Amino acid sequence: MKNILARGGVEFIAVLLGISGSLWIDKNQEFRQKNEQEIVLLNSIYSDINQTEMFLESRDVAFQADSLWMNYFAINWENMNIDSVAIALSKQKPFVFNTLFFDYREFHPPLSSIEMIMQDGSLKEIRNIEIRKKIKNLKKKIFFEFF
């Protein structure tokens, strides 16, 4: 009788350890997957920020040129000859006139990852509250300053 109880106790402990071990492994695997997902999200955001910085640097020259032209037109608007404007613009690269008057307001920094994270609710996957706040503030700042 003691032998049966001992054997049953050992089997019970083995089953208990097996279940506990598998639950622990599942929990660790879930935690690891969340960490990996968070890393992917943060890398996407970092990439968007870097691309936006490069975009801004490349657009800076164009913005300055547009600003110079707009200042020139604003100062000389009353005594401006349309032909002289056409001549001045024709000395520039092709389509400068179009870019100056129609496309200069177009500003679409590459923020697809940040927009996706905000829209699909992935932001909650980022555990660091400060990073979440900064992402929300960045999105608000970009939206209100540029659009």
Side-chain angles (χ1 to χ4, degrees):
M1 186 66 134
K2 285 184 177 184
N3 196 11
I4 292 175
L5 287 176
R7 194 170 132 203
V10 169
E11 288 179 12
F12 176 76
I13 290 173
V15 169
L16 183 66
L17 286 174
I19 292 172
S20 298
S22 68
L23 291 174
W24 180 76
I25 289 171
D26 285 344
K27 186 177 178 180
N28 281 345
Q29 184 177 9
E30 182 180 323
F31 182 74
R32 191 173 339 115
Q33 287 174 345
K34 285 183 179 182
N35 279 344
E36 289 172 0
Q37 184 179 5
E38 183 178 10
I39 289 170
V40 167
L41 290 173
L42 291 173
N43 282 334
S44 297
I45 292 167
Y46 182 70
S47 174
D48 271 3
I49 291 170
N50 283 339
Q51 289 177 1
T52 301
E53 285 179 350
M54 291 187 318
F55 178 80
L56 291 173
E57 289 171 4
S58 69
R59 291 295 304 239
D60 187 43
V61 173
F63 289 151
Q64 289 177 6
D66 289 347
S67 180
L68 287 173
W69 278 109
M70 295 305 268
N71 287 339
Y72 174 79
F73 291 138
I75 292 169
N76 300 309
W77 187 256
E78 293 298 324
N79 52 1
M80 192 176 300
N81 181 350
I82 295 174
D83 292 334
S84 66
V85 173
I87 291 169
L89 289 174
S90 68
K91 292 178 183 177
Q92 298 292 318
K93 293 181 182 178
F95 308 110
V96 169
F97 187 80
N98 182 36
T99 302
L100 178 62
F101 288 105
F102 301 110
D103 296 337
Y104 81 97
R105 294 178 191 228
E106 294 293 322
F107 180 75
H108 302 288
L111 301 171
S112 58
S113 296
I114 294 173
E115 290 173 355
M116 178 196 67
I117 288 167
M118 297 296 285
Q119 290 175 358
D120 72 358
S122 298
L123 186 63
K124 69 179 185 227
E125 302 295 327
I126 298 173
R127 288 175 290 183
N128 189 319
I129 303 279
E130 290 301 315
I131 292 176
R132 274 197 238 170
K133 287 179 184 177
K134 288 185 183 208
I135 292 169
K136 286 180 183 179
N137 289 339
L138 175 67
K139 178 64 177 162
K140 287 178 188 175
K141 186 174 185 177
I142 288 172
F143 182 78
F144 288 119
E145 285 186 11
F146 299 119
F147 299 109

